[in-house]
Amino acid sequence: MPARHKLLSLWLLLSGITFFAGLFCAAWLESQIQPTGNLRIVIWGASLASGLLVFLLGLILEVRLMRPLRHLQVQVARMAANPDAKDDYPPEGWLATLQPDLNHLRQGWRQDRGLLTDARIQGAKDAARIRQELEALLQVLKLPLLLCDQHQRLLLFNPAAEELFAGNPALGLGRRLQELLPAPSLIDALQNLPKDGSARQLLLPHRNRWYLCDLRRVIASQGEALLMLEDTTERQQSDTRWRKPLSTLLPALRGHAANLATAGELLSNGGTTAELNQRLQLAMQEDSQALSSLINELAKLLEALHLDQGQLTDTWSNDLWQALTPSLTQLEISLTPIGIPLWLKADTPSLLGLLQRVLLLLTEVTGKKAFEAEIQLGNNRVYLDLIWQGQPLHLKQLKEWGELPLANEEISPRLGDILRRHSSDWWSLADADQNFARLRIPLPAATRVYPPLPTIEARPEFHDFSIADLPPPTSELGQLALNQLELVVFDTETTGLELRKGDKVISIGACRIVNGRLLAQEVFDQKVNPGRSIPPASTKIHGLVDADVEKSPPMSVVLPRFREFVGNGVLVAHNAAFDLLAVTLEGAETGVEFTMPVLDTLLLSRGLDKNLEGHGLDALAKRFQLTFPPNTRHTALGDARVTAELLLALLPRLEARGINTLQAALELQASLMQSKTS
């Protein structure tokens, strides 16, 4: 029971005892003395005055001292968490004289913090500029890039890496690299990187593709390593296509060449009979024919290698037109895409050059400046059509264009070479209405069907070099400082509160705190199909109905993914006993275990403010001025975010009381649980 309730009970009990004692005393004196007049009034007044005095004294203490003390405690707790906290509990009653001192403390704190902030900003100007340049470079770098510290914790990743590992819950600042790329060869290579910064390369499998990983140690660092990944699947497949026939051709070429050399040497030395000369000449003729045939095969193989479509990449037609527009605008040529966009396989740079050159030629021949472009799906091919108003081109004209170079350089490929690289040709035809004509270029079709995913918005944080200063990962988590832990704050929504009687999880939300920072995009948010209906009483709380979760995966699928997201982090929840029970009960069915330590913000708040009432999430959010974004209360992710902000507000107050480590926080929780059960 909180101390205020004890004091209130003691006050009311003392007031009641005193009042009834006075009442009994007055009644006894009444029976013994039998007073009359003023004496009777004095006896009754004196007997009851003590009870009334105790009651009034307690009321005055409550109004003038106890309530102001509680309000002051709330205000000081707010200031400890945030010196800019709203001042809506000014000192009152007998503590009103503390207002100037409290204002002085708050103002001094704010000024000191402002000076520190200004100094930090002033000293970090160059670092900020370098960081902005680094971020700009990382945004445009197309190859996935990862930077990890000596303990293989991620310090940095670029948007290309985020796209490569999209949907992988192991991607995040501070996460272990072996969770993201679980390849023993990679970990071994990282541990044995040369200190001079020279590169090491190895092939890594990921999602049925092969990536060439370039690793190198960052010179003049604390053991950080840089990883760059390049998709080499197509290259390897292309190598396979030509290495095997080449390995067959070369020995045969060497054999026939050796035979010719031997026969020629015998003939040149003389001393042979006419019959032997005839046989040698016949053998040389056969070897020459075979050698000529093999050389033709080799030439075809080299040409096929040059035109290998394994080097072509998937291209979205709208991206092709968008890339072509700037150069055409400078030439005052208008190109309007029509029809449905499609995927095609192309060597995009050379195809763009071809289209630009052809449109210039079309402008010269037709006199038109406005064209249309259409992509149509054929039989295993995609037809790229350039359309203009007028007559089709003659075949002779197209053959002449095929011999034209792409640019005015000696090594520039011809337009026909680019067509052959795409195993293509071109022809011109008239539309059915005979008013429009088109130049048709068939191109290889890609296997992809759906439009490209929208561009991933850049994360507010995708690098944090201070992670490298954290202690090494260790099994002795209890000795780590609270602000150095990787914390995963989570919340669940369920079909009801009776988990042991069949209620199930319908939503899990979680966010991550690393190095004392709440990472905005490091979140887990997944609805769950509970396999049973959601009662209307529960719907009134979280707003979820059966239709919201019927297409969601079951807990057997969601829970392993959530466990991957947690990784080596410490779990945090508000009233953690309920949420932990929700996941562990179903974890027992799916074989997923949660054996890591768990912090409970409800217990931590009670430990800090034993004399204050209200430790629910809404009450604490109001106390520390934390806000739920609209429509996020009683959503798993919304509650988890506010719980994370609450924990960050409690951490400085825990440290002020000497509770600096995970072990100390767990002991505080345990003591509260023990006192509650005793």
Side-chain angles (χ1 to χ4, degrees), residues 334-336 338 359 362-373 385-393 428-439:
S334 169
L335 182 67
T336 304
I338 62 175
L359 285 167
L362 284 173
T363 301
E364 295 174 0
V365 171
T366 64
K368 305 292 183 182
K369 285 279 189 176
F371 299 90
E372 293 179 346
D385 291 348
L386 300 177
I387 308 170
W388 65 92
Q389 188 173 14
Q391 299 300 314
L393 303 174
S428 184
L429 66 159
D431 283 358
D433 58 7
Q434 301 298 319
N435 291 325
F436 289 85
R438 60 183 65 204
L439 175 62

Side-chain angles (χ1 to χ4, degrees), residues 563-636:
R563 182 63 185 86
E564 290 181 10
F565 179 81
V566 174
N568 296 318
V570 175
L571 284 176
V572 182
H574 193 78
N575 191 16
F578 178 83
D579 297 293
L580 190 62
L581 180 64
V583 295
T584 53
L585 281 178
E586 302 205 37
E589 300 176 3
T590 58
V592 178
E593 296 183 348
F594 295 87
T595 57
M596 67 289 294
V598 180
L599 291 176
D600 189 341
T601 50
L602 174 64
L603 294 177
L604 294 177
S605 176
R606 284 178 175 172
L608 288 170
D609 300 312
K610 298 179 181 179
N611 298 327
L612 290 180
E613 299 176 359
H615 295 281
L617 190 56
D618 288 307
L620 291 174
K622 182 179 180 181
R623 182 176 303 163
F624 291 99
Q625 299 177 324
L626 308 174
T627 57
F628 291 90
N631 303 318
T632 61
R633 180 63 175 114
H634 292 300
T635 65

Side-chain angles (χ1 to χ4, degrees), residues 440-576:
R440 172 160 293 178
I441 304 174
L443 298 168
T447 56
R448 300 170 66 176
V449 177
Y450 298 103
L453 296 174
T455 303
I456 299 177
E457 184 178 355
R459 293 189 178 212
E461 64 284 310
F462 51 84
H463 61 81
D464 187 351
F465 299 121
S466 61
I467 291 175
D469 298 326
L470 295 177
T474 172
S475 57
E476 297 296 331
L477 283 175
Q479 304 307 314
L480 295 182
L482 290 172
N483 57 6
Q484 293 179 331
L485 292 170
E486 179 186 356
L487 302 166
V488 177
V489 189
F490 81 107
D491 184 73
T492 62
E493 300 297 334
T494 60
T495 58
L497 302 179
E498 297 182 346
L499 297 173
R500 297 189 184 278
K501 295 184 179 181
D503 280 319
K504 299 290 185 179
V505 175
I506 56 176
S507 177
I508 300 180
C511 52
R512 193 183 306 279
I513 296 176
V514 176
N515 207 18
R517 288 196 309 146
L518 175 59
L519 303 183
Q521 298 299 321
E522 289 286 326
V523 298
F524 184 92
D525 188 18
Q526 179 64 61
K527 292 184 176 65
V528 183
N529 188 336
R532 54 164 293 179
S533 61
I534 302 175
S538 298
T539 300
K540 290 181 180 179
I541 298 175
H542 46 59
L544 295 176
V545 297
D546 293 339
D548 295 325
V549 298
E550 63 180 0
K551 295 183 179 180
S552 301
M555 196 62 165
S556 59
V557 174
V558 174
L559 200 58
R561 292 178 53 204
F562 175 61
R563 182 63 185 86
E564 290 181 10
F565 179 81
V566 174
N568 296 318
V570 175
L571 284 176
V572 182
H574 193 78
N575 191 16

Side-chain angles (χ1 to χ4, degrees), residues 4-48:
R4 178 172 178 267
H5 288 180
K6 292 181 179 179
L7 290 175
L8 183 61
S9 301
L10 182 61
W11 167 51
L12 292 176
L13 179 62
L14 184 59
S15 299
I17 291 174
T18 307
F19 181 80
F20 284 108
L23 187 63
F24 177 78
C25 181
W28 182 78
L29 290 174
E30 175 82 21
S31 65
Q32 294 295 321
I33 302 176
Q34 296 182 352
T36 59
N38 291 334
L39 180 60
R40 188 166 183 260
I41 295 174
V42 170
I43 290 174
W44 278 94
S47 299
L48 298 178

Side-chain angles (χ1 to χ4, degrees), residues 629-656:
N631 303 318
T632 61
R633 180 63 175 114
H634 292 300
T635 65
L637 183 57
D639 288 359
R641 283 188 183 278
V642 173
T643 301
E645 294 174 1
L646 172 61
L647 179 66
L648 293 176
L650 295 178
L651 286 181
R653 301 187 60 214
L654 289 168
E655 293 174 2

